[in-house]
Amino acid sequence: VVTPTLRDVALRAQVHPSTASRALNPETRPLVKPETAERVLQAASALGYLPNSIARGLKTNRSSSIGVLIPDLTNPLFPPIVRGIEDALLEAGYRALLVNTDNDPVREADQVASLRARQVDGLIVATARLEHPLVAGLAEEGFPIVLVNRRLESADIPAVTADDASGVAMAMRHIAGLGHRRVAHLAGPQWTSTGQTRLRAYRQAVLDLGLDADPALVVGADAWTEDQGSRAMEELVGRGTPFTAVLAGNDLIALGCYDVMYERGMRCPADVSVVGFNDMPFLDKLRPPLTTVRIPHYRIGTEAAHLLLQRIRDRQAPVKSILLPLSLVTRQSTAPPPSR
Amino acid sequence: VVTPTLRDVALRAQVHPSTASRALNPETRPLVKPETAERVLQAASALGYLPNSIARGLKTNRSSSIGVLIPDLTNPLFPPIVRGIEDALLEAGYRALLVNTDNDPVREADQVASLRARQVDGLIVATARLEHPLVAGLAEEGFPIVLVNRRLESADIPAVTADDASGVAMAMRHIAGLGHRRVAHLAGPQWTSTGQTRLRAYRQAVLDLGLDADPALVVGADAWTEDQGSRAMEELVGRGTPFTAVLAGNDLIALGCYDVMYERGMRCPADVSVVGFNDMPFLDKLRPPLTTVRIPHYRIGTEAAHLLLQRIRDRQAPVKSILLPLSLVTRQSTAPPPSR
């Protein structure tokens, strides 16, 4: 096999080698006309020409790739995070190897073993549970790893998360400001840091705002899904405890809540106000448009990629985590409680 | 560097080597208790043990990875397709390297060059334009490639697509059956096969069903986006041509249509019925829930992966494409036209 050279690429694209070189380097590419750059890159592709950055990586036995572990890409939370990760990695000449774990520990361990066999340089993990021996073990070993969205209970692992506690406080101030006193919480899974943080922040807000503190107002969902949201809402309604507003653990749980209200003829917001968490796409087109706490997902992705690349360059650097601010998006699912 | 052996993995996991072997092989893994499998896989991961399937791939200079080119992961069309691709590849021991091109030819050519430098075994391409020299060139070269969603005009490249023409015919029969005679079409980009096929099928249906054939009823959108949907709907309304129903090129274009109708106080479906295309998630929760043509996205992904793996195994096999059937999902955005 003959390794193609820059000259071969230039010949095939019918440009001067210096032009080919500029076109192949992302930093100098803007100096070349887009049509020319496209032609050069096509020629490089057809010949299997190896840009220097990648050739260097192969020599140093680094793959310039990163494993990204998420529960399920079809959960609308993850595409913008993954897109952010990929955009930031691309700038640095890295690629993401995406893995869906479905929160199955065996599947996850298998996937991680296979990613490591492929020599990934690090991992970005969105599947963390509070207790997570696999992730804790990797971090202990010194393997470059960054968590997104969630944290572990015990280990100090770099993480990029949203400031969930402030987000819940914002949402609860909004609900209380409308005059609600009996606010229910459909809490997310308590084996995740997000589920736990949001429940704690809800309890804190109930105290701080002087709302009715009634344990019957809290129902747990076993997963961050619409189905579990429905199940939790059914349980809440079945308890017979009065309530005029619901803080859902996330938007999908809020959607399950909508389903139950629709079936039972409960009106939102006339009878019950509902608040979600995440601001996933198209919530503004729901009936009614959902009030929610916006998380900057794309930015979580880019920050996580930058943090991981820093760790890959310097494994001894002190651990650092990033907390991103949230904002409340007020739509039509929240209104004053019905007057008696 | 000492290469870890199966014995090392078994020792660390405190199991018999035969158990470790069963746990490491996905086919025999069900014979082992899940906790044991998880422990073995964690041990393998910690030691950097190379399962045989991957070791074999490295020796034969194959990467067991596939490049997947999509325009943008945050378009809700793509996550289920990508998930289908990844699930099917995983079973065969392959991985997907995902690439977002933003429909930018230079970015795309750069990404393809980089994927080939990483020795991907083939490509699944969701970004095809009718004229697409890069993709046509790859296919001509004999490089394993499968298109999803779209096709090229000239080249015979294996593709997995939905039966768009039948889907449009179904939607138009539904609209005509409700009594509409003046049906507008907000057509998708005509440089894509999907945009072209759907527009042709619309024209055919207008003829077949004896509806009003008025060129002013067709407006083109320059992209498959909500923004372009709004722009096209504004143009349609601005023309002053009467119409009582809109067939949108896809769901996002339909959402843009909703925006304009809301702003202008036009009611859906009382004044104008709207039909989308794709059945992306959560359409049942829109106001009003959108009638649309359902495309089996996950299955498009799995079929594309299987087709590509076949081609990788046998590059001489005759080209084959797969056409998947569609179904109409009737919701509340369609109703009889207003009576005069």
Side-chain angles (χ1 to χ4, degrees), chain A residues 29 45 50 63-64 72 83 86 95 100 102 110-111 114 116-118 226 259 285-287 289, chain B residues 29 45 50 63-64 72 83 86 95 100 102 110-111 114 116-118 226 259 285-287 289:
Chain A
R29 187 171 306 143
S45 172
L50 220 56
S63 68
S64 297
D72 177 12
R83 183 72 217 253
E86 295 193 330
R95 289 241 165 263
N100 296 282
D102 289 326
D110 185 28
Q111 301 255 34
S114 141
R116 295 198 66 185
R118 281 164 187 273
E226 191 174 346
D259 294 338
K285 306 232 156 35
L286 299 186
R287 309 192 277 191
Chain B
R29 188 171 305 143
S45 170
L50 220 55
S63 69
S64 297
D72 177 12
R83 184 73 216 253
E86 294 192 329
R95 288 240 167 264
N100 296 283
D102 289 327
D110 185 29
Q111 301 254 33
S114 141
R116 295 199 67 186
R118 282 164 186 273
E226 192 174 346
D259 294 339
K285 305 232 159 34
L286 299 186
R287 312 193 273 193

Side-chain angles (χ1 to χ4, degrees), chain A residues 182-266:
Chain A
R182 296 192 60 83
V183 182
H185 180 41
L186 305 185
Q190 294 301 300
W191 42 267
T192 63
S193 61
T194 30
Q196 221 176 61
T197 306
R198 290 176 196 169
L199 173 56
R200 281 185 191 147
Y202 158 84
R203 288 195 172 124
Q204 188 62 47
V206 166
L207 285 179
D208 292 349
L209 298 164
L211 306 179
D212 289 5
D214 178 353
L217 288 171
V218 177
V219 183
D222 295 335
W224 298 101
T225 60
E226 191 174 346
D227 276 359
Q228 277 295 316
S230 297
R231 203 208 42 73
M233 184 65 175
E234 286 288 1
E235 189 176 327
L236 176 66
V237 172
R239 284 181 187 173
T241 327
F243 61 93
T244 60
V246 173
L247 175 72
N250 75 350
D251 292 335
L252 291 171
I253 291 174
L255 286 184
C257 193
Y258 270 26
D259 294 338
V260 171
M261 290 179 66
Y262 182 81
E263 281 160 25
R264 292 178 170 260
M266 296 160 75

Side-chain angles (χ1 to χ4, degrees), chain B residues 26-40:
Chain B
E27 282 172 25
T28 52
R29 188 171 305 143
L31 303 171
V32 181
K33 269 190 270 179
E35 309 84 74
T36 311
E38 194 182 341
R39 210 164 68 237
V40 171

Side-chain angles (χ1 to χ4, degrees), chain A residues 171 250-251 274-280 283 290-294 327-331 333:
Chain A
N250 75 350
D251 292 335
V274 178
V275 178
F277 213 102
N278 276 345
D279 198 27
M280 57 181 224
L283 289 185
L290 183 67
T291 294
T292 191
V293 178
R294 176 176 294 161
S327 53
L328 184 71
V329 184
T330 313
R331 298 198 182 97
S333 66

